[in-house]
Amino acid sequence: MCKRNGETVDYLLLHCEGGYRGFYSKNTIKLTPKVVNDIHKRGGTFLRTSRGGHDTSKIVDNIQDRGINQVYIIGGDGTQKGAALISKEVEKRGLQVSVAGIPKTIDNDIAVIDKSFGFDTAVEEAQRAINAAHVEVESVENGVGIVKLMGRYSGFIAMYATLASRDVDCCLIPESPFYLEGHGGLFEFVEERLKENGHMVIVLAEGAGQDYVSQDSHPVDEKDASGNRLLLDVGLWLSHKIKEHFTDVKKMAINMKYIDPTYMIRAIPSNASDNVYCTLLAHSAVHGAMAGYTGFTVGPVNSRHAYIPISHVTETQNTVKLTDRMWARLLASTNQPSFLNRDEVIPEKVDQELSKA
Ligand SMILES: Nc1ncnc2c1ncn2[C@@H]1O[C@H](COP(=O)(O)OP(=O)(O)O)[C@@H](O)[C@H]1O
Ligand SMILES: O=P(O)(O)OC[C@H]1O[C@](O)(COP(=O)(O)O)[C@@H](O)[C@@H]1O
């Protein structure tokens, strides 16, 4: 953000602490090169964040009152939706303010751009958890390791972490329904792998199997302050179901190792690749605002940095397409069942997927 003071342009860079509510409920903090010089080496967010609190009118009142003429909004798909509303309100009021969205989420669920900032770092850090699970299950008899990764609606972190690791036997994501019992089910596959190797690792995204889990436990339709649905813990549920099946039904002792590294992954500093990517996003955003563009989100599209209308980025969410080659590569790498050949799978979900193809 910057301010114009008489003739000479006196750029003042402020940050609104704590997410959208920071526009109207906190003092802004002046940013200088000295203040920000090492923030790229820290995890989390120096600007602090929050969920909820998006009051478009109060935010734009604040922008107007402070004479701010450039607003850079950093965050995931929800944040970009908020930025779109701010941009519309600024335009409606005829304000000379440039609104630029900078996409950031480890989930990689932001549409149009090639990938989101933070995603590569999360995939790289997930390797440590998967490797730990693999070491643990290799060290015991009939070891079954389950690693839960972030990904509320999109399974990109789980899919790419699985492909990178090659020590994963099965990857479960929100986009791909699965079932436990019967022919072609997960229980049958676990039994096969235990017989074959004596151990196995399952990687699952936290948003996988939610319809299934809710059949077993009272479904919660609570939402967080931003309107994102709160998830049931599919990792704990699956570890209990597998342990119960092999102990009570198969009368087979297994050693279950459940790892939930979600916050350890999200809390680390970004890696070198994401640091460079972040710099490119920042440069693109500032160049766009200085050139007079507004209502855009920056990001690479087919490897070329572009200014994308925010409304275009927020129309849909980026999800794994089961008919895409990358998911086929994953199935070929793990040799897991596709889980698409039983009526127990939620048929309409399969139809949805095939209709997207
Ligand atoms: N549809 C929306 N319209 C306006 N603001 C939104 C919308 N969705 C989310 N937000 C706001 O954007 C901020 C971040 O959204 P959230 O979903 O929590 O995280 P993310 O941006 O990482 O997806 C929150 O302050 C939330 O209130
Ligand atoms: O538990 P928290 O801090 O609300 O955030 C957890 C969520 O953050 C994410 O990493 C990103 O979610 P957002 O895009 O909503 O920020 C999700 O995958 C995960 O469910």
Side-chain angles (χ1 to χ4, degrees), residues 51 76-77 105-107 109 150-152 206 224 228 231 263 266:
R51 294 191 186 279
D77 58 319
T105 175
I106 62 170
D107 287 6
D109 58 358
M150 280 185 168
R152 192 186 282 119
E206 61 182 338
D224 66 20
N228 302 300
L231 301 174
Y263 291 119
R266 198 174 65 176

Side-chain angles (χ1 to χ4, degrees), residues 179 183 339-348 350:
Y179 56 92
H183 177 59
F339 300 112
L340 290 181
N341 56 359
R342 278 289 297 274
D343 51 12
E344 281 181 40
V345 168
I346 304 127
E348 64 278 5
V350 175

Side-chain angles (χ1 to χ4, degrees), residues 9-29:
V9 180
D10 166 13
Y11 284 101
L12 182 60
L13 197 56
L14 305 168
H15 98 255
C16 296
E17 193 186 14
Y20 278 126
R21 63 166 54 87
F23 271 102
Y24 54 83
S25 67
K26 297 226 174 195
N27 292 328
T28 53
I29 299 171

Side-chain angles (χ1 to χ4, degrees), residues 20 50-54 75-79 81-82 85 226 228:
Y20 278 126
S50 66
R51 294 191 186 279
H54 188 285
D77 58 319
T79 302
K81 285 177 187 149
L85 293 180
S226 297
N228 302 300

Side-chain angles (χ1 to χ4, degrees), residues 271-289:
N271 66 14
S273 153
D274 270 332
N275 282 347
V276 172
Y277 181 20
C278 185
T279 302
L280 296 182
L281 288 173
H283 288 180
S284 297
V286 172
H287 294 163

